[in-house]
Amino acid sequence: MKKLTIVVPAFNEEEMLPISMNKLLEIEDRLIKDELITSDSDVMVVNDGSKDKTWEVITKLHKENSRIKGIKFSRNFGHQNALIAGLDIAIKETDMIVTIDADLQDDPEAIIEMVKKANEGTDIVYAVRNNRDTDSWFKKNTAGAFYKFLNLLGVKLVDNHADFRLMTKRAVETLLSYKERNLFLRGLVPLLGYKTDKIYYKRGTREAGETKYPLKKMLSFAWEGLTSFSIAPVRLISIFGILASLVGVFMLIYTVITKLMGDTSQGWSSLMISIWMLGGLQMLSLGVIGEYIGKITLEVKNRPRYIIEEILK
Ligand code: UDP
Ligand code: MG
């Protein structure tokens, strides 16, 4: 039998944690009873620099039940880093890990099916939602377009899968050997290979508290996914550049011919338009190239992905 650890990132989740911990432990209890996981299976909450009483809640839950463990970050490092920290710490003492959000929008009942698949020898089980009804119209459409766009650029993602997945020990260890700072886990995991499978679930609504992903975080997450996994934007710029110079050559030939045919030169407006358009294009190109250089700077610095202040085990 194998030990299961459920890793839960939490940022300002004081209202949600008592409910979700209760539910997750209850699911583990059922799995334990059916002898699908060992009886020391646990839940690890990563407190991502919450501003509310999340850590106090985790400490209290840990006292009541030592199967609830906690990691406290020294400040907010973001969802993806909270997940990585949980995997990093938990994998030393467990055989498989399920990652799930604290709000339980992802149906925790699906964990049962995931564990069964893992016990049959699957290394990575993706939970895929079969509806987006509970997302706002805006989120549904922007997310859909974003995934299509990434696919177009050649980034392989599992459709409608967020960070709700099970990974066995060797899959987690392989994932941890990817040392990049710019983390976009749902792009990385499909690169690991191994035996993978999917299970389907219905996504619900957040029971308590509100989304910790405001538009600003969502946009930065999307940008991260795009530029960490694809150098297509830089290539696109080269193509733009080649096209622009071809237009320039064409215009040169055209002016020489009109000149030879005796026309006076007019073209002040066309000149101005070209200058502005090319200038704009160049600035845009520099911006995108700068973005990649910025990424290189971040990676080269090799800063820690997270800093832990306290651990409850
Ligand atoms: N979260 C986190 N750090 C952050 C933002 C969010 O650890 O900076 C956690 C949050 O507590 C939750 C999960 O990431 O467990 C997903 O956040 P949320 O449910 O608010 O996102 P949504 O479902 O609205 O996309
Ligand atoms: Mg949520």
Side-chain angles (χ1 to χ4, degrees):
M1 252 195 297
K2 287 181 176 163
K3 177 175 169 182
L4 167 73
T5 299
I6 303 178
V7 166
V8 185
F11 174 63
N12 297 346
E13 299 281 7
E14 57 180 10
E15 295 146 299
M16 208 47 230
L17 275 180
I19 310 171
S20 42
M21 288 306 113
N22 205 350
K23 181 74 194 166
L24 292 175
L25 282 180
E26 186 251 317
I27 294 215
E28 279 194 347
D29 285 339
R30 265 191 274 155
L31 285 164
I32 292 168
K33 201 169 126 263
D34 292 343
E35 301 193 333
L36 292 167
I37 56 173
T38 60
S39 57
D40 59 345
S41 293
D42 52 8
V43 180
M44 177 160 282
V45 194
V46 184
N47 174 26
D48 183 15
S50 300
K51 306 240 179 320
D52 63 0
K53 298 235 173 324
T54 299
W55 186 244
E56 283 82 347
V57 172
I58 297 171
T59 316
K60 182 168 160 275
L61 290 167
H62 171 73
K63 274 191 195 122
E64 286 164 15
N65 188 338
S66 63
R67 268 172 57 213
I68 296 179
K69 318 261 157 84
I71 299 174
K72 185 187 181 200
F73 278 1
S74 62
R75 62 168 169 86
N76 180 262
F77 280 88
H79 182 207
Q80 301 289 297
N81 290 312
L83 288 173
I84 272 288
L87 295 174
D88 217 350
I89 309 285
I91 202 60
K92 298 188 181 106
E93 283 161 36
T94 195
D95 303 310
M96 54 185 164
I97 295 183
V98 167
T99 49
I100 187 168
D101 289 350
D103 58 8
L104 298 193
Q105 274 183 290
D106 304 312
D107 183 11
E109 295 289 335
I111 294 174
I112 301 202
E113 209 54 41
M114 295 164 114
V115 167
K116 283 185 186 154
K117 294 237 186 241
N119 284 343
E120 285 160 11
T122 310
D123 281 288
I124 302 169
V125 187
Y126 299 105
V128 175
R129 63 181 96 155
N130 52 20
N131 71 319
R132 265 187 184 268
D133 305 347
T134 56
D135 281 351
S136 65
W137 180 90
F138 178 75
K139 189 152 188 168
K140 220 177 341 200
N141 284 281
T142 49
F146 173 64
Y147 281 94
K148 280 217 187 79
F149 184 55
L150 277 186
N151 259 320
L152 211 69
L153 295 180
V155 185
K156 284 197 188 62
L157 292 176
V158 180
D159 261 354
N160 281 322
H161 159 73
D163 285 307
F164 182 24
R165 66 177 87 81
L166 179 147
M167 297 176 82
T168 59
K169 198 177 188 92
R170 67 171 179 182
V172 172
E173 280 169 351
T174 313
L175 177 69
L176 290 170
S177 71
Y178 285 70
K179 295 291 181 201
E180 56 214 85
R181 313 296 92 194
N182 297 292
L183 271 181
F184 187 66
L185 288 174
R186 59 195 80 162
L188 269 184
V189 178
L191 299 180
L192 303 181
Y194 293 124
K195 191 167 184 287
T196 64
D197 210 337
K198 291 180 202 167
I199 55 126
Y200 295 86
Y201 70 98
K202 222 163 134 15
R203 186 162 160 104
T205 46
R206 192 178 246 284
E207 277 177 45
E210 33 190 65
T211 178
K212 297 343 183 233
Y213 258 102
L215 185 62
K216 191 164 153 256
K217 266 190 193 169
M218 246 166 73
L219 285 178
S220 95
F221 184 59
W223 185 243
E224 199 71 357
L226 180 59
T227 53
S228 295
F229 275 86
S230 164
I231 55 162
V234 178
R235 286 212 187 113
L236 216 61
I237 280 173
S238 325
I239 294 170
F240 274 144
I242 293 167
L243 287 180
S245 13
L246 280 180
V247 171
V249 170
F250 177 77
M251 271 161 75
L252 190 81
I253 296 170
Y254 175 79
T255 29
V256 168
I257 290 174
T258 48
K259 185 83 183 164
L260 287 178
M261 287 165 74
D263 278 358
T264 45
S265 57
Q266 323 122 330
W268 182 86
S269 47
S270 58
L271 204 68
M272 288 311 272
I273 291 170
S274 326
I275 288 174
W276 282 97
M277 278 181 61
L278 281 177
L281 204 64
Q282 279 169 346
M283 262 193 268
L284 176 80
S285 316
L286 282 177
V288 177
I289 292 166
E291 172 71 23
Y292 284 90
I293 295 178
K295 286 229 140 68
I296 295 171
T297 320
L298 280 179
E299 297 293 341
V300 165
K301 274 191 197 146
N302 213 15
R303 284 186 177 166
R305 294 195 275 209
Y306 54 84
I307 299 168
I308 292 174
E309 192 175 310
E310 202 177 329
I311 298 190
L312 296 176
K313 6 182 162 194

